[in-house]
């Protein structure tokens, strides 16, 4: 198959979008204004979309520009008889939603809930080796052992938006949390969780100095 490389010196920016935003834009008619971009004097980029669907999609986003100069990465289009280089990737624009009340409401409305199911398993016919626990002391020992294994396991830091979503889910279960318990619940490094709660929470400075609750604008 031949490759047409006449546009190989053309510079192209690629955009990485959240899945829900990508689906929204894909379903719009072509040649439609989707929003506006604001670039501040210090180079910060904000993107605001026009919600023409009325589905309550988040409207405000941060845009981070990542340079791809000299990366030798190209955009390629294919047909049955010819492949064409559309240009060289000059930079990548990563679009992430601004965490505000509208975004939180959208996530709550579209949260995926896994239905709970109960199944009866016959270990003999299924040939499954089940763990036998003799008494409460053994149960306590196994629980502490598993907890220690989780603590010892290296925690991989998620994208901040993903981590904040998990934190918001935690506050839907309980109104107040300690940073340590949130770190265990989210599986994120304690310092990272502390950074998040400092941004979206208030600390109880009276009776419970170590407990955090969501700020009113995030409830």
């Amino acid at each position: 198959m031949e490759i047409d490389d006449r546009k190989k010196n053309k510079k192209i920016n690629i955009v990485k979008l959240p899945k829900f935003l990508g689906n929204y834009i894909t379903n719009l008619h072509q040649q439609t204004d989707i929003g506006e971009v604001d670039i501040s004097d210090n180079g910060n980029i904000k993107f605001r979309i026009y919600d023409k669907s009325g589905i309550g999609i988040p409207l405000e986003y941060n845009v981070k520009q990542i340079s791809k100069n000299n990366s030798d990465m190209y955009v390629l289009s294919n047909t049955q008889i010819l492949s064409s280089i559309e240009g060289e990737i000059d930079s990548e624009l990563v679009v992430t939603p601004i965490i505000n009340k509208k975004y939180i409401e959208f996530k709550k409305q579209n949260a995926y809930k896994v239905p709970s199911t109960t199944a009866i398993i016959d270990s003999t016919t299924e040939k499954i080796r089940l763990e036998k626990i003799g008494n409460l002391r053994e149960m306590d020992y196994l629980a502490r052992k598993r907890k220690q294994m989780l603590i010892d396991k290296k925690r991989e830091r998620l994208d901040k938006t993903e981590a904040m979503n998990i934190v918001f889910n935690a506050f839907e279960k309980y109104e107040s949390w300690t940073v340590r318990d949130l770190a265990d619940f989210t599986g994120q490094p304690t310092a990272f969780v502390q950074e998040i709660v400092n941004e979206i929470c208030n600390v109880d400075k009276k009776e419970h100095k170590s407990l955090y609750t969501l700020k009113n604008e995030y409830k």
Side-chain angles (χ1 to χ4, degrees):
M1 181 180 291
E2 296 183 2
I3 297 179
D4 182 354
D5 64 352
R6 287 176 294 179
K7 298 180 182 178
K8 66 179 182 180
N9 294 323
K10 180 181 178 181
K11 301 299 182 182
I12 291 179
N13 295 327
I14 60 174
V15 181
K16 182 179 180 181
L17 302 170
K19 185 176 181 180
F20 67 84
L21 182 57
N23 292 338
Y24 168 77
I25 294 175
T26 301
N27 292 328
L28 293 175
H29 297 294
Q30 292 186 354
Q31 305 300 324
T32 300
D33 292 334
I34 62 173
E36 56 189 33
V37 175
D38 177 49
I39 303 177
S40 65
D41 294 337
N42 58 8
N44 291 331
I45 306 174
K46 303 288 185 182
F47 173 49
R48 181 178 177 83
I49 69 167
Y50 307 137
D51 184 7
K52 300 180 180 181
S53 65
I55 62 175
I57 192 171
L59 303 179
E60 298 176 316
Y61 300 83
N62 289 316
V63 181
K64 181 179 180 181
Q65 186 171 19
I66 304 173
S67 176
K68 297 290 184 179
N69 287 334
N70 302 318
S71 64
D72 292 329
M73 297 175 63
Y74 297 86
V75 175
L76 190 70
S77 62
N78 293 308
T79 65
Q80 292 182 347
I81 60 174
L82 182 67
S83 293
S84 300
I85 294 177
E86 298 299 329
E88 182 181 8
I89 297 176
D90 184 57
S91 64
E92 178 181 355
L93 301 173
V94 181
V95 179
T96 55
I98 294 176
I99 308 299
N100 53 26
K101 188 173 183 179
K102 187 172 183 63
Y103 173 75
I104 295 170
E105 290 175 353
F106 175 79
K107 293 298 291 183
K108 287 181 178 179
Q109 292 172 1
N110 294 273
Y112 178 73
K113 297 182 179 180
V114 180
S116 59
T117 57
T118 303
I120 299 175
I121 299 175
D122 187 335
S123 61
T124 304
T125 57
E126 297 290 340
K127 296 182 180 180
I128 299 175
R129 183 176 180 272
L130 299 179
E131 185 177 9
K132 294 182 179 180
I133 300 176
N135 52 46
L136 292 176
R137 180 176 295 179
E138 290 183 22
M139 291 177 64
D140 180 63
Y141 168 76
L142 289 173
R144 286 187 283 107
K145 182 179 178 181
R146 287 172 181 148
K147 183 177 181 180
Q148 188 61 44
M149 289 173 63
L150 289 174
I151 294 174
D152 293 339
K153 184 179 179 181
K154 184 178 180 181
R155 292 174 172 176
E156 182 179 356
R157 176 168 170 163
L158 296 173
D159 174 78
K160 187 174 181 180
T161 300
E162 295 180 51
M164 290 185 79
N165 287 338
I166 300 175
V167 171
F168 284 128
N169 287 336
F171 280 105
E172 289 182 10
K173 294 179 178 292
Y174 302 104
E175 292 185 357
S176 57
W177 288 80
T178 64
V179 172
R180 182 175 180 179
D181 287 341
L182 268 179
D184 290 339
F185 181 85
T186 60
Q188 293 298 288
T190 303
F192 184 37
V193 173
Q194 182 70 64
E195 175 187 332
I196 292 175
V197 298
N198 287 344
E199 181 178 340
I200 65 173
C201 295
N202 292 318
V203 61
D204 189 338
K205 296 182 179 180
K206 295 180 181 179
E207 298 180 3
H208 306 288
K209 294 183 179 180
S210 61
L211 287 179
Y212 287 81
T213 58
L214 281 178
K215 293 179 180 178
N216 290 332
E217 57 264 36
Y218 295 114
K219 291 182 178 179

